[in-house]
Amino acid sequence: MLSKDEAKLVVAKLEELYPDAVCALEYAGEPWKLLIMGRLSAQCTDKRVNEVCKDLFSRYPTPEALAASELAELEEIVRPCGLYRVKAKNIRDECAMLVGEFGGRLPDTMDELLRLPGVGRKIANLLLGDVYGKPAIVADTHCIRICGRLGFYSESLKDPDKVERILAAIIEPEKQSDFCHRLVMFGRDVCSARAPKCADCPLAGNCRHNQAVQANT
């Protein structure tokens, strides 16, 4: 497991590589849209979610409109994101709760966000970090894979809740949200799931996985 000083080095190097840490979901600064896009992104690429949501938000430009939508029509719009039946119901119900219980304002606590249909800790942390600037670890597949390879924890660990707790304890609170966005970019450019570019990796010197590979060659 990395020490806090080693973790700081990784954070600093990712900041150098990706000075502009931005969310890959294009929600135009509207919190309710990020809520919807976060739910649609499950087992779907951010690129596809962005494309689908251009049509979705043009048809339903407010949470009130989406809450009043016809489920069958909504299912057809979000079908390309996969799991479209449950996702369509979730996002319609989310908007109904957002409007009916929260006055259209996205909640700013973990407990309240977890009450929204289809929202787990991953989406809740994304919202808390991006919308409210709170400390938040988004333990998605990029985060779990890359931080395991780097040595924050064992590569065999795949439990997002445990990953979140480990990283929250070692990454400075004000750095957490941007750190997770940078991991997504780094995962796409360098540390992919199937073919990581270890030979050209700027974090190779800080990576436990790379050190183990080198030791065995």
Side-chain angles (χ1 to χ4, degrees):
M1 185 169 174
L2 298 186
S3 67
K4 284 193 174 182
D5 286 341
E6 289 173 317
K8 283 183 179 180
L9 284 175
V10 171
V11 170
K13 287 196 174 184
L14 284 172
E15 287 175 341
E16 290 178 14
L17 288 170
Y18 304 101
D20 299 318
V22 293
C23 181
L25 297 171
E26 298 167 356
Y27 66 103
E30 296 189 62
W32 76 275
K33 289 184 177 180
L34 185 58
L35 167 67
I36 300 308
M37 298 177 88
R39 181 65 188 98
L40 292 177
S41 69
Q43 299 181 41
C44 181
T45 65
D46 293 338
K47 182 179 179 180
R48 176 162 294 176
V49 171
N50 287 334
E51 287 298 317
V52 167
C53 283
K54 289 177 184 178
D55 184 26
L56 179 66
F57 295 142
S58 70
R59 297 198 195 189
Y60 307 106
T62 65
E64 290 84 359
L66 193 48
S69 64
E70 291 291 334
L71 190 58
E73 181 179 357
L74 194 55
E75 287 176 352
E76 284 307 305
I77 296 172
V78 304
R79 182 188 287 267
C81 294
L83 304 173
Y84 65 95
R85 294 189 189 280
V86 66
K87 287 182 180 181
K89 187 174 189 308
N90 281 166
I91 64 176
R92 189 178 68 166
D93 291 348
E94 285 172 353
C95 285
M97 184 179 286
L98 202 63
V99 172
E101 294 193 31
F102 297 105
R105 182 180 183 274
L106 187 76
D108 63 357
T109 68
M110 176 64 74
D111 287 345
E112 287 178 314
L113 287 169
L114 290 177
R115 291 180 53 216
L116 294 166
V119 173
R121 292 192 65 86
K122 183 177 75 171
I123 295 174
N125 276 313
L126 173 68
L127 296 166
L128 291 173
D130 266 54
V131 176
Y132 293 110
K134 294 188 175 186
I137 294 294
V138 180
D140 61 10
T141 55
H142 291 288
C143 175
I144 294 170
R145 177 184 74 254
I146 295 167
C147 289
R149 285 175 177 172
L150 287 169
F152 282 91
Y153 42 79
S154 168
E155 284 192 64
S156 63
L157 178 61
K158 303 299 180 185
D159 185 320
D161 290 340
K162 290 181 179 179
V163 167
E164 181 188 335
R165 287 196 295 271
I166 291 169
L167 295 179
I170 201 171
I171 303 294
E172 295 170 283
E174 68 276 12
K175 304 277 190 178
Q176 290 177 10
S177 181
D178 286 348
F179 173 73
C180 293
H181 286 320
R182 291 183 173 107
L183 286 176
V184 172
M185 293 183 268
F186 181 67
R188 290 172 179 165
D189 294 346
V190 181
C191 197
S192 63
R194 295 184 180 179
K197 302 173 184 175
C198 297
D200 302 315
C201 178
L203 292 181
N206 304 89
C207 178
R208 295 286 194 270
H209 176 88
N210 183 66
Q211 291 166 7
V213 169
Q214 296 300 317
N216 292 324
T217 56

